[in-house]
Amino acid sequence: MTSPALSQAARRRILVVNPNGNPEVTRLVSDMATRLLDPKTAVRVVYTEDSPRSIETPADRNKAEPLALELLAQHPGYDAYVMACFDDIAISDAREFLDVPILCAAEAAISLARFFAPRFSIVTTVETMAPGIRTLVRSLGADKICTVRAAGIGVATAAAGGAEVEAKLDAAIELARREDGAEAIILGSGGLTGRAETLSARHGLPVIGGIEASIVMAEVLANLRT
């Protein structure tokens, strides 16, 4: 999926890799990237149908990671890359062969959240994702100020949306505020792309989309290189 079409006139080129095999998540990410980025920035969003439709377990990650690395290797020459998953899938290995920035959504979102609040919470999809995200938060030095909560919805279900999804997200955010003292929320899943603005207005606190944060930061870093 490409949006907008790549052209020689573009000043910057960004590749976004969705490591799951879900075309609906890919569409959400592509639509969001088009809205967020400067029209002169060419962005291409790619995925592989061979990946799990949702990356929710270590087995899913083990299957998706080499496919994501293969996609990155097949698309050289971009000014920045984004891994559109709230995980550090392929990030370390990709930084070994890419000579330009590759953005991890969790790293980007946590970096931005620090500017908004002294304490914040990541709301992700299923509980099986929470341990890995907590490990990642700890590796980024944010475990003293950041908690992780699962809303109890699958990635594919989150991408499809609906009243039940919204109700579960609302409940998780309220728990994070009441029990964790969170003053800002990070949405920790590609399936939650595009919901930050609405949730922020509904709950009256900053809500940061993890994928959105990484895409915006990728454009900033690409600009610094050109």
Side-chain angles (χ1 to χ4, degrees), residues 41-128:
T41 297
V43 57
R44 184 175 185 184
V45 183
V46 296
Y47 78 109
T48 172
E49 294 181 4
D50 294 331
S51 285
R53 286 181 65 85
S54 300
I55 301 173
E56 298 176 350
T57 67
D60 293 335
R61 178 190 170 113
N62 290 340
K63 183 174 182 180
E65 188 160 34
L67 297 173
L69 283 166
E70 184 179 353
L71 275 179
L72 289 168
Q74 289 171 353
H75 294 84
Y78 285 80
D79 298 299
Y81 296 80
V82 172
M83 190 58 58
C85 175
F86 205 82
D87 202 336
D88 60 351
I89 285 176
I91 297 295
S92 253
D93 288 340
R95 285 174 177 165
E96 293 293 323
F97 66 84
L98 293 176
D99 60 358
V100 298
I102 175 166
L103 278 293
C104 165
E107 188 174 12
I110 288 171
S111 297
L112 290 180
R114 291 177 188 269
F115 289 104
F116 285 95
R119 188 165 183 81
F120 47 90
S121 185
I122 295 166
V123 172
T124 189
T125 50
V126 293
E127 188 61 45
T128 53

Side-chain angles (χ1 to χ4, degrees), residues 82-189:
V82 172
M83 190 58 58
C85 175
F86 205 82
D87 202 336
D88 60 351
I89 285 176
I91 297 295
S92 253
D93 288 340
R95 285 174 177 165
E96 293 293 323
F97 66 84
L98 293 176
D99 60 358
V100 298
I102 175 166
L103 278 293
C104 165
E107 188 174 12
I110 288 171
S111 297
L112 290 180
R114 291 177 188 269
F115 289 104
F116 285 95
R119 188 165 183 81
F120 47 90
S121 185
I122 295 166
V123 172
T124 189
T125 50
V126 293
E127 188 61 45
T128 53
M129 290 296 297
I133 293 176
R134 290 189 183 102
T135 299
L136 184 52
V137 168
R138 188 163 51 252
S139 75
L140 294 170
D143 52 307
K144 304 298 184 187
I145 58 172
C146 177
T147 58
V148 180
R149 286 194 173 270
I153 48 179
V155 175
T157 301
E164 184 178 0
V165 170
E166 297 301 316
K168 289 185 175 182
L169 287 173
D170 287 342
I173 290 172
E174 286 305 316
L175 279 174
R177 294 182 74 170
R178 185 172 66 250
E179 297 188 8
D180 303 339
E183 298 176 47
I185 298 295
I186 294 171
L187 299 181
S189 172

